[in-house]
Amino acid sequence: MSRTGKIISWVVGILLLLIVVIVVVIATFDWNRLKPTINQKVSTELNRPFAIRGDLGVDWARNPQEPGWRRWIPWPQLHAEDIMLGNPPDIPDVTMVHLQRVDATLAPLSLLHKELFIPWIKLQRPDARLIQTADKKNNWTFNLANSDSKDQNAPPSAWSFRLDNILFDQGQIRYRDAINHADVTVQVNPLGKPVPYAQIAGGDDKQQGAGDFVFGWQANGTYNEEKLSGQGKIGGMLSLRSQNTPFPVQADLRNGTTRVQVTGGIQDPMNLGGLNVRLRFSGDTLANLYGLTGVLLPDTPPYETDGHLIAKFNGEKGAVYRYEKFNGHIGDSDIHGSLIYSQGKPRPRLTGELTSDQLRMADLGPLIGVDSGKGSGKTAQAKARRGEKSSQPTDRVLPHDQFDTKNWDVMDADVKFSGKRIEHSNSLPLSDLYTHLQLKNGDLLLDPLRFGMAGGNLNSTIRLEGDRSPMRGRADIHVRKLQLRRLFPNVQAMQNSLGQLNGDASFTGTGNSVADLLATSNGQLKLLMNDGVISRSLMEIAGLNVGNYVVGKLFGDDQVRINCAATDIKLQNGLATPNLFVFDTENAVINVTGNANFATERMDLSVNPESKGVRIITLRSPLYVRGTFKNPDAGVKAGPLLARGAAAVALGTVVGPAAALLALISPSDNEDNQCSTVLQQMKQQK
């Protein structure tokens, strides 16, 4: 052998010997010697304790699935036991994550092209504890060492990371949150074998191409101080890191009386690409969803709805959630439509359109602070669980339940609602409700709020300024062409009437309940009714016992035709004083004077009749109506007899109000409207 050949042989031999020595050293090296260094480096980098407290080792094995010569390359298989990751100093618990054992394999050849590729990692008994304190500090936000000093303009690393699969036998996550009053434990277990998405979701589900379900989970605990329980399934790592295969999710959660069911997929979950799920939820009141979703919804009777939720996550612009084509009910009212919830600055925003084929007016009661009727018992129980008590005094009639305005400024809204048929009572059907609700910076506007009633319509604008304390409200209401025979369908005598009711009302007030708003109200009310009847039986149907007494004193048991009833009432600081309150009947003119106080709910009215021609009314002294709204009292005033013509004299002082009320009569109704003649006569009196 030549000298050159000997040198080459020695070099190759030495290299092979070095490789053998390195392999032997690596194979026999006690990796536990590196634990102190690894623990210190990781603890320093994460700014929290980290420790591998058990055995640390590396085994070597070939991968027979590799092609050609690659299958002869041994792959390192790492294992570590008893691994602990601690919490930052301001979190009282010691441990955040504990792993009984971790096994992982590394593809060595991928390192040649700067990729750290881990085909699989196996976790034994993973146990994670997520904590948020009352001062909004949490343990899942990591403040990495020297992160602030890194050059933000530095080019990204040439190295990449890839993890194909995560396996574990049983996992546990405990979530404790002092802000949301939550303490929830979630158990996660492998299903044994993958379950196809269609087997769980059904063939009619709109989510196509979602991955298989791999893990199942169960949750128990409390959230918002209500019991929480749930179960469901999720996909595996393959669909979790896929940009094209939706990551499957299925959940059935119960929090107190609220139930939420979700089935669908998450697009590109590693980059929060989007959400496409079927969403069903139900409960005692929509208001309870605020704690779960952050979406401000009104207090309602029991509800249930089923629709399709599509979400797009737009980074700094915020997410957009579309709840499309949902169907459901609130109380006994059906509800359909689509809503869009957009996160953004300065506040999130809810927009959309809702419709109802049959709307029960009582189901809207909680929106205006009154009893919701059927189903309200459950709503009251829900309020009791939230520590809310009814503020309605036993001796008052006006609603004292408070508008809950404290959260009105957390969200803006622009929602249109239409109701085809409205169930108010068997005797008074309503129809064609339409309102445009706008909520901006705590200011609620209903413009318009209109519906059909008794053949006519009511058109109003309501503004509630919830950003003020106390709240300030304004209402402008216009009633036109309410037909008396349809307004009083149970009164036989009224069925032959061609009369109408027209009116305008406008008032402002301050307070957080209907009662408080009326108690401080300023404004005016004008009503005009023509061609009607009045009788004791009508008062009985209306439930007006005092009215029954007054009508009996004036007219006995007979039905009396009303040519025109007109009122013009001034409201000032909650005190209602009529400028004009008159009934022109076929037998007499009835003039009502006095006042009603909405703050004290007391009234003091005088009823002064004046017969036409031959005296038919035998009453020779005026009547009084006094007492409270809830317990009124009526009787005959003691004192001088009625002066003949007193009512006519009184009418001579109401030229201005009479002229104003003429505006309520449409020009097309002048010839048939009895009030037109009566008011013209009153206007001409001097």
Side-chain angles (χ1 to χ4, degrees):
M1 181 181 292
S2 64
R3 180 180 178 86
T4 302
K6 290 181 180 180
I7 293 174
I8 294 174
S9 298
W10 275 100
V11 171
V12 172
I14 291 172
L15 290 175
L16 291 175
L17 179 61
L18 286 174
I19 292 174
V20 171
V21 170
I22 291 173
V23 170
V24 171
V25 170
I26 292 176
T28 60
F29 181 72
D30 184 6
W31 294 91
N32 289 297
R33 295 181 180 180
L34 297 180
K35 288 196 301 184
T37 302
I38 294 174
N39 292 344
Q40 180 183 0
K41 292 289 186 182
V42 175
S43 298
T44 301
E45 183 66 24
L46 298 181
N47 274 327
R48 60 179 67 190
F50 174 84
I52 302 174
R53 300 183 294 196
D55 184 53
L56 174 65
V58 178
D59 299 320
W60 298 83
R62 292 181 297 167
N63 187 352
Q65 297 179 351
E66 286 287 290
W69 59 269
R70 294 171 178 268
R71 73 181 60 184
W72 296 99
I73 303 297
W75 288 29
Q77 295 184 355
L78 298 85
H79 69 267
E81 298 178 350
D82 193 9
I83 303 173
M84 185 275 294
L85 175 64
N87 283 310
D90 46 10
I91 301 295
D93 285 32
V94 175
T95 303
M96 177 183 177
V97 177
H98 179 262
L99 300 169
Q100 194 174 89
R101 179 183 170 98
V102 177
D103 291 90
T105 185
L106 175 67
L109 295 179
S110 66
L111 300 175
L112 298 178
H113 46 84
K114 296 184 178 180
E115 180 185 44
L116 183 61
F117 174 34
I118 300 177
W120 54 262
I121 184 171
K122 298 178 182 177
L123 310 177
Q124 287 188 12
R125 300 284 179 177
D127 186 353
R129 303 174 186 179
L130 306 179
I131 300 172
Q132 180 166 249
T133 62
D135 53 358
K136 297 185 178 181
K137 296 178 180 178
N138 64 70
N139 65 345
W140 57 80
T141 300
F142 287 82
N143 297 317
L144 302 181
N146 302 319
S147 60
D148 295 336
S149 61
K150 292 181 180 179
D151 186 1
Q152 300 297 324
N153 297 320
S157 173
W159 285 80
S160 62
F161 174 76
R162 174 183 166 188
L163 173 62
D164 267 5
N165 206 1
I166 296 179
L167 307 171
F168 55 85
D169 52 357
Q170 185 182 59
Q172 176 175 287
I173 302 172
R174 186 176 181 186
Y175 170 65
R176 287 185 291 161
D177 190 335
I179 296 176
N180 294 309
H181 307 286
D183 189 347
V184 181
T185 300
V186 181
Q187 298 283 349
V188 184
N189 297 283
L191 295 175
K193 64 177 182 179
V195 178
Y197 175 83
Q199 182 175 327
I200 301 297
D204 59 344
D205 193 274
K206 294 184 179 181
Q207 179 65 61
Q208 301 293 331
D212 294 336
F213 291 103
V214 176
F215 298 104
W217 59 269
Q218 288 186 329
N220 285 283
T222 58
Y223 187 88
N224 271 338
E225 299 180 345
E226 295 271 11
K227 182 180 178 181
L228 182 142
S229 63
Q231 59 184 358
K233 299 175 180 63
I234 56 175
M237 195 66 188
L238 292 177
S239 54
L240 182 64
R241 65 181 179 83
S242 172
Q243 296 182 357
N244 301 316
T245 301
F247 180 76
V249 293
Q250 186 260 332
D252 188 347
L253 274 173
R254 297 175 184 267
N255 182 213
T257 60
T258 301
R259 183 180 184 184
V260 180
Q261 297 170 279
V262 175
T263 304
I266 303 175
Q267 297 283 348
D268 192 10
M270 300 298 289
N271 298 307
L272 291 178
L275 182 69
N276 191 334
V277 300
R278 181 181 180 183
L279 174 62
R280 289 173 285 185
F281 54 95
S282 60
D284 277 355
T285 170
L286 283 169
N288 287 345
L289 287 175
Y290 179 68
L292 286 173
T293 65
V295 181
L296 179 64
L297 295 169
D299 196 1
T300 67
Y303 69 92
E304 183 174 1
T305 183
D306 184 351
H308 204 69
L309 178 65
I310 299 174
K312 298 294 183 183
F313 304 102
N314 301 319
E316 295 182 356
K317 294 182 180 179
V320 177
Y321 300 87
R322 303 175 64 93
Y323 192 38
E324 296 185 339
K325 298 179 180 179
F326 63 83
N327 299 289
H329 68 83
I330 299 175
D332 291 332
S333 306
D334 65 281
I335 189 77
H336 320 273
S338 296
L339 293 170
I340 301 174
Y341 180 75
S342 306
Q343 293 180 335
K345 301 295 183 181
R347 288 169 299 278
R349 180 178 173 85
L350 181 70
T351 61
E353 294 190 11
L354 305 174
T355 62
S356 177
D357 293 326
Q358 180 161 318
L359 177 67
R360 186 173 181 268
M361 185 63 77
D363 294 330
L364 299 181
L367 299 179
I368 57 174
V370 300
D371 192 348
S372 65
K374 184 177 179 180
S376 63
K378 291 185 177 180
T379 306
Q381 293 173 11
K383 287 185 176 182
R385 283 192 296 270
R386 299 194 299 267
E388 300 175 19
K389 296 181 179 179
S390 174
S391 56
Q392 184 69 29
T394 57
D395 60 340
R396 295 298 180 100
V397 173
L398 299 177
H400 280 68
D401 287 348
Q402 299 288 302
F403 290 93
D404 188 5
T405 62
K406 65 178 181 297
N407 291 324
W408 284 13
D409 61 348
V410 304
M411 182 185 77
D412 291 344
D414 191 324
V415 178
K416 298 177 181 179
F417 178 80
S418 300
K420 295 181 180 178
R421 184 181 185 279
I422 306 170
E423 179 189 339
H424 176 60
S425 68
N426 293 330
S427 60
L428 184 59
L430 307 176
S431 63
D432 300 322
L433 169 67
Y434 175 80
T435 187
H436 184 185
L437 181 150
Q438 299 173 73
L439 178 63
K440 187 173 182 180
N441 195 25
D443 190 350
L444 177 65
L445 175 65
L446 299 174
D447 184 23
L449 170 60
R450 65 171 181 255
F451 52 84
M453 181 171 65
N457 63 81
L458 184 149
N459 198 331
S460 61
T461 299
I462 310 293
R463 181 183 293 275
L464 300 175
E465 299 178 25
D467 56 337
R468 296 173 176 266
S469 183
M471 180 178 71
R472 185 167 69 182
R474 178 180 178 86
D476 292 289
I477 304 170
H478 308 280
V479 176
R480 290 295 182 271
K481 296 186 177 181
L482 272 61
Q483 298 176 17
L484 297 182
R485 60 183 177 182
R486 298 178 63 177
L487 194 61
F488 302 100
N490 294 329
V491 181
Q492 185 61 38
M494 198 72 79
Q495 299 312 298
N496 297 323
S497 171
L498 299 177
Q500 295 180 352
L501 178 67
N502 295 279
D504 288 331
S506 177
F507 70 90
T508 60
T510 58
N512 284 9
S513 70
V514 173
D516 291 340
L517 288 169
L518 290 175
T520 58
S521 59
N522 294 285
Q524 196 164 27
L525 168 67
K526 300 176 182 179
L527 287 175
L528 205 61
M529 183 185 79
N530 71 288
D531 194 18
V533 297
I534 191 169
S535 66
R536 294 186 64 179
S537 61
L538 177 59
M539 296 296 100
E540 290 175 358
I541 292 172
L544 301 175
N545 294 328
V546 170
N548 187 350
Y549 172 84
V550 172
V551 172
K553 283 290 185 181
L554 293 174
F555 308 113
D557 294 330
D558 297 332
Q559 289 183 342
V560 177
R561 185 180 184 85
I562 298 178
N563 298 321
C564 177
T567 182
D568 181 350
I569 297 176
K570 180 181 179 181
L571 283 165
Q572 187 169 11
N573 293 325
L575 185 66
T577 306
N579 296 322
L580 170 67
F581 195 167
V582 63
F583 292 83
D584 183 88
T585 74
E586 57 186 348
N587 299 330
V589 175
I590 312 298
N591 191 40
V592 181
T593 59
N595 60 68
N597 193 319
F598 287 104
T600 60
E601 293 195 21
R602 300 190 67 87
M603 54 187 166
D604 186 1
L605 302 174
S606 295
V607 181
N608 304 288
E610 172 65 21
S611 293
K612 293 182 176 179
V614 178
R615 178 176 296 276
I616 297 177
I617 296 178
T618 58
L619 184 67
R620 300 184 61 81
S621 292
L623 297 173
Y624 67 82
V625 179
R626 300 171 184 159
T628 66
F629 292 179
K630 188 166 187 177
N631 297 299
D633 177 42
V636 179
K637 281 190 175 182
L641 300 179
L642 277 171
R644 190 169 181 81
V649 173
L651 294 180
T653 66
V654 293
V655 175
L661 286 169
L662 280 169
L664 295 178
I665 302 175
S666 172
S668 61
D669 297 331
N670 262 329
E671 294 182 1
D672 300 326
N673 198 312
Q674 297 274 1
C675 283
S676 178
T677 302
V678 173
L679 292 175
Q680 288 288 0
Q681 292 174 353
M682 294 169 58
K683 180 181 176 182
Q684 294 170 6
Q685 292 186 27
K686 301 297 182 182

